[in-house]
Amino acid sequence: MLLALVVSVSAGCGGTEASAGPELIFRYADNQTEDYPTVKAAEYFAGLVEERTDGKIRIRVYANSELGDEISVYEQVQFGGIDFARASAGTLAEFVPETKMLQLPYLFTDANHMWRVLDGEIGDELLDAIGDSGVTGLSWFDAGARNIYTRTPVHSLEDLAGMNIRVQESEFISEAVRLWGAVPVQLSYNDVYSALRTGKVDGAENNWPSYESTGHFEVAPYCLLSAHFRLPEVQIVSTVAMERIRAVDPSYEEVIFQCARDSALYERELWKERETESESLVREMGCVVTELSDGEREAFRLAVQPMYDSLSDENRKLVLRILES
Ligand code: GCU
């Protein structure tokens, strides 16, 4: 009888503890390091969600591609194996054709132009389109402008001829690199450092914080300020997770969206600081940074003009709306 009593008391205690803890525990994937702006913003997002759902929803952030590379993470979010993630527009476009145009080189004149587009009607339409890929688009993150960096000196477009340049697993991005006379090599982000170190590729392209945090600058110290892409990043949630969230409390869906928007504003602030810090750091470490003259930049832009000339009617309409924003 005593044993029965002990068992029933401890079961009762367990019940009380369970109701005080989270009702749902989710996983959030990012391929960057813990101190990177997108990961810090993901932690911030997780904190907001926990606070605004009175602890009922807990999100654990996995950085450093712990849950897989971006393409496989996106697929897992589609099937509900991973609940939340942050992905680059280069990955997104492989799953959501409507967002392909974000990968056009020299589409945005600067960050303000990009935010006018993404914070406006077009950004909302593209987030909605993500729904067709079986996941829900939550908010846009900043990822700055991308430059080309190489193992050996590159000063102009001509110097790129025949070089193997690593790109994301995207045909559209590959096409731009081909038009610059180089050879695109599609590799996952995690494989770039060793490919650069061993000479499997001659160069790659990315934003300042990625160039610095991955250590790519150590093995490819020549950076050409081409500023050719401004690929934003997106926060996504699986449809399965969203259904489970609504089942706990229908109002939590909007809570998730609001927390995602708030964390996106936070990320933009972190991004500005980190971009400057990373640039100074790699310069201090002795990287050779080459500015492009207006004429040289125009040569880069003109080389990819065929991508603009061959757009379908639908894509052309979208690109014109973006250019006019
Ligand atoms: C950026 C982006 C990553 C992406 C990477 C890449 O660093 O933040 O999400 O994977 O570019 O070039 O693959």
Side-chain angles (χ1 to χ4, degrees):
M1 264 180 67
L2 185 61
L3 183 67
L5 187 65
V6 171
V7 169
S8 93
V9 167
S10 55
C13 290
T16 314
E17 270 168 30
S19 66
E23 288 186 28
L24 296 173
I25 299 181
F26 289 126
R27 297 192 303 164
Y28 183 125
D30 195 301
N31 65 0
Q32 304 286 8
T33 50
E34 272 96 2
D35 65 342
Y36 198 89
T38 58
V39 178
K40 282 188 171 172
E43 293 286 4
Y44 182 76
F45 168 70
L48 290 180
V49 170
E50 188 156 347
E51 185 188 308
R52 295 179 190 171
T53 61
D54 299 318
K56 291 204 178 77
I57 299 178
R58 182 170 296 164
I59 299 169
R60 177 154 178 222
V61 179
Y62 294 79
N64 295 310
S65 303
E66 210 186 313
L67 299 183
D69 64 44
E70 253 184 38
I71 298 269
S72 81
V73 162
Y74 201 102
E75 285 164 355
Q76 291 183 72
V77 175
Q78 283 180 311
F79 297 115
I82 294 176
D83 310 295
F84 290 87
R86 188 280 311 158
S88 161
T91 299
L92 180 65
E94 292 305 291
F95 296 90
V96 187
E98 290 88 338
T99 64
K100 266 208 162 82
M101 294 304 106
L102 294 177
Q103 304 172 109
L104 265 179
Y106 302 109
L107 177 66
F108 299 115
T109 40
D110 54 22
N112 288 339
H113 179 204
M114 185 182 81
W115 288 119
R116 273 200 303 281
V117 172
L118 295 180
D119 285 339
E121 231 174 51
I122 300 178
D124 288 346
E125 284 167 19
L126 296 179
L127 280 181
D128 283 349
I130 295 175
D132 299 338
S133 70
V135 311
T136 303
L138 293 172
S139 68
W140 300 106
F141 277 9
D142 203 353
R146 295 170 74 110
N147 300 308
I148 293 172
Y149 44 85
T150 46
R151 287 158 47 93
T152 52
V154 163
H155 302 289
S156 62
L157 188 56
E158 288 73 51
D159 292 344
L160 277 181
M163 279 192 160
N164 289 330
I165 301 294
R166 178 271 169 174
V167 290
Q168 295 186 54
E169 289 139 301
S170 151
E171 249 326 290
F172 208 72
I173 293 179
S174 299
E175 181 57 13
V177 167
R178 252 180 237 117
L179 288 167
W180 288 322
V183 182
V185 180
Q186 297 187 7
L187 283 178
S188 136
Y189 191 45
N190 298 323
D191 298 330
V192 186
Y193 184 90
S194 72
L196 284 168
R197 195 174 51 77
T198 57
K200 179 175 173 188
V201 295
D202 304 305
E205 51 80 51
N206 218 318
N207 51 45
W208 288 115
S210 299
Y211 184 39
E212 175 257 306
S213 63
T214 51
H216 292 177
F217 71 93
E218 297 160 3
V219 279
Y222 300 95
C223 180
L224 187 68
L225 293 187
S226 46
H228 51 278
F229 295 133
R230 216 167 247 289
L231 295 177
E233 326 243 43
V234 69
Q235 267 188 315
I236 52 172
V237 56
S238 88
T239 310
V240 182
M242 211 42 150
E243 272 163 19
R244 294 176 65 205
I245 290 168
R246 274 195 300 267
V248 173
D249 185 329
S251 72
Y252 284 174
E253 178 169 13
E254 185 43 37
V255 170
I256 296 289
F257 274 107
Q258 192 54 51
C259 294
R261 287 190 288 262
D262 292 349
S263 65
L265 292 180
Y266 179 64
E267 193 269 350
R268 283 188 219 177
E269 288 312 309
L270 295 179
W271 184 264
K272 280 186 220 142
E273 283 167 30
R274 180 62 182 258
E275 211 174 28
T276 315
E277 281 166 20
S278 296
E279 177 177 353
S280 319
L281 199 138
V282 300
R283 282 182 188 267
E284 273 164 32
M285 297 303 282
C287 286
V288 180
V289 180
T290 304
E291 308 267 348
L292 286 180
S293 67
D294 288 350
E296 280 161 345
R297 184 177 298 261
E298 190 54 11
F300 267 88
R301 211 197 51 74
L302 277 177
V304 292
Q305 186 58 36
M307 295 180 84
Y308 283 81
D309 295 341
S310 59
L311 293 175
S312 67
D313 287 349
E314 202 181 329
N315 284 338
R316 184 184 310 279
K317 263 189 227 146
L318 175 61
V319 169
L320 280 178
R321 282 173 70 205
I322 293 178
L323 294 177
E324 283 161 8
S325 289

